[in-house]
Amino acid sequence: NDENSMEETQKALYNLAEKHNLDIIAGCVSARFDGAESQYSDLREVLFKLMVFITAISTMIIICFNAVSILSHKKQYGVFLANGISKSGLFVSLTIEQLIKVITGLALTALVIYLGVPVFFVEREIGAVYDIFLNFVLWKTAVLGLIECIVVSGVSVLILGHYKPVQLIKYHN
């Protein structure tokens, strides 16, 4: 019934405008919003890709910081080795340290996505973006983070294992 009254109202407006030699465009507001929404969908897609790109760059930065952190703590690891910690114990210690960093990074990424998505997407798209993030992005990032923990820790233990504890302590800068 609302559609009939809308059509009748539009016809009445067009007839009135025609009587007074006016040009008008009559339409419902939701149709205008849908048009504007589709106009900016490309922009939202670009912004979403930008958020994914920033997340990937952040992951690479975290990996670099992990490598630098391990290199800067050579003296500490030398003391651990001098006091009798095994290579497997050092591996576990490094893995836990890396895992804490990865979990922190994932939490910050989830927070950025949670706060950023409503800014770039309309209400009906937000749920779909969250589903994509939770079902495809988050678990893959978590798996990659776990792999990164194991690889960085393993490589670090292999590198540190080539030195005597005295060398790691003595040549610390």
Side-chain angles (χ1 to χ4, degrees), residues 70-71 74 77 81 86-92 94-95 149-165 167-168:
I70 289 169
L71 292 174
K74 285 194 303 187
Y77 300 131
L81 291 170
S86 65
K87 287 184 181 179
S88 62
L90 185 59
F91 176 77
V92 169
L94 287 171
T95 303
C149 287
I150 293 169
V151 169
V152 168
S153 300
V155 169
S156 300
V157 168
L158 287 175
I159 291 170
L160 294 172
H162 290 320
Y163 296 98
K164 294 179 182 177
Q167 290 174 313
L168 292 172

Side-chain angles (χ1 to χ4, degrees), residues 42-120:
D42 293 336
L43 177 63
R44 283 193 302 277
E45 182 179 331
V46 168
L47 291 174
F48 182 70
K49 288 179 181 178
L50 182 64
M51 284 193 322
V52 170
F53 177 73
I54 289 171
T55 303
I57 295 295
S58 300
T59 303
M60 287 187 264
I61 290 171
I62 288 171
I63 291 171
C64 291
F65 279 130
N66 286 339
V68 170
S69 172
I70 289 169
L71 292 174
S72 67
H73 291 103
K74 285 194 303 187
K75 182 177 182 178
Q76 179 184 8
Y77 300 131
V79 171
F80 285 161
L81 291 170
N83 286 318
I85 193 171
S86 65
K87 287 184 181 179
S88 62
L90 185 59
F91 176 77
V92 169
S93 174
L94 287 171
T95 303
I96 290 171
E97 179 184 327
Q98 301 303 319
L99 196 57
I100 290 169
K101 292 177 185 176
V102 168
I103 290 170
T104 303
L106 286 173
L108 290 174
T109 300
L111 181 65
V112 167
I113 296 294
Y114 178 75
L115 296 175
V117 165
V119 173
F120 299 120

